[in-house]
Structure formats: structure tokens, C-alpha cells
Amino acid sequence: MTFKQNLRKLRKAKRVSQTELADYLGISQRTISHYENGTAEPSLSCLCQIADYLNVSLDDLLGRVFPNI
């Protein structure tokens, strides 16, 4: 999964609205919508704040998958 898919999935799983997340981050709800639609990408510091708020790792948020070694 991609970041935009993971963000939407994780946000909904935690029952957090776009507006709630945007308020926490100090950005607009429209910006969260852009993140989830893939028309914008957050800064690294914003990614860290999103991961903290949703209580997930950056790897989970970004959809990083590591092959079995």
C-alpha cells in the first residue's frame, strides 16, 4: 500500500476525522484530503507528527515492507 492509502486506512481505523487530524497538525482539512488523494505530500516533520498521533511507526504509515531474509 502507498502512503495515501495507509493514511486513510489508519486514520479511519482510529476513528479520527480529517478535521481532527488537521487541527492537531495545525493545517487545513483540505491538506489532509490532498494527502489522502495523493495530490500533496507532507514534510518529514509532519509525517512524524501524523505517525505519533495515529500511534504507528513511520514504516507502517509509509507502507514500507521488508522482505524476509
Side-chain angles (χ1 to χ4, degrees):
M1 272 199 224
T2 63
F3 165 70
K4 66 180 185 176
Q5 294 167 320
N6 285 335
L7 176 57
R8 180 174 283 139
K9 180 188 79 166
L10 293 167
R11 181 183 57 75
K12 287 186 175 194
K14 301 284 184 172
R15 297 184 177 177
V16 174
S17 70
Q18 287 183 343
T19 302
E20 290 172 312
L21 181 56
D23 288 346
Y24 173 79
L25 297 170
I27 59 178
S28 71
Q29 175 273 326
R30 178 177 280 186
T31 301
I32 299 297
S33 178
H34 287 299
Y35 294 164
E36 291 185 358
N37 290 322
T39 56
E41 293 183 355
S43 66
L44 180 57
S45 63
C46 187
L47 279 172
C48 291
Q49 288 178 310
I50 293 169
D52 288 346
Y53 187 78
L54 297 176
N55 197 30
V56 297
S57 71
L58 281 175
D59 286 334
D60 288 339
L61 183 59
L62 296 174
R64 289 179 40 121
V65 178
F66 299 97
N68 293 332
I69 297 175

